[in-house]
Amino acid sequence: TAYEIRLSLVGSEMCKETEPLLTVAETAEFMKVSLRTVWRLIQARRLPAVCIGGAKRIKRNDLDRYIAANQFD
C-alpha cells in the first residue's frame, strides 16, 4: 500500500507511528461504494477527512469508526 511505501522511504520512528491515510478512491474501493458516495459522506461531515495539499485524505481509524457506528444487525 501507499502507507507501507511511505514507511520504507522515510523510515523514521515518527512516521512509523502515523496512522494510514486513504485517498477518496481507496476509501470507496475499501467500502465497495462509489466515489460520489464517499464525497457525500465527507461533505455531510459524517466521514471525517483531512486536507493535504488540496487533496482529501481519510484516516483509517476514522473510517473504521464510521463503519462500526453504522453497522446493523
Side-chain angles (χ1 to χ4, degrees), residues 1-12 15-16 18 20-21 26:
T1 67
Y3 177 69
E4 293 166 340
I5 292 169
R6 188 173 67 221
L7 282 180
S8 66
L9 291 175
V10 177
S12 73
C15 189
K16 287 181 184 174
T18 303
L21 295 174
E26 290 169 335

Side-chain angles (χ1 to χ4, degrees), residues 31 41 46-47 61-71:
M31 294 176 67
L41 292 171
R46 294 179 59 202
L47 179 61
N61 287 343
D62 287 339
L63 178 57
D64 291 341
R65 275 192 284 278
Y66 172 81
I67 292 170
N70 288 283
Q71 287 183 343

Side-chain angles (χ1 to χ4, degrees), residues 24-69:
V24 172
E26 290 169 335
T27 302
E29 183 178 339
F30 181 83
M31 294 176 67
K32 308 273 192 271
V33 298
S34 69
L35 289 172
R36 186 174 182 148
T37 297
V38 176
W39 279 112
R40 285 179 178 164
L41 292 171
I42 292 169
Q43 289 172 340
R45 298 187 184 272
R46 294 179 59 202
L47 179 61
V50 295
C51 191
I52 300 176
K56 298 287 187 188
R57 296 286 186 267
I58 295 89
K59 293 179 183 178
R60 178 57 194 261
N61 287 343
D62 287 339
L63 178 57
D64 291 341
R65 275 192 284 278
Y66 172 81
I67 292 170

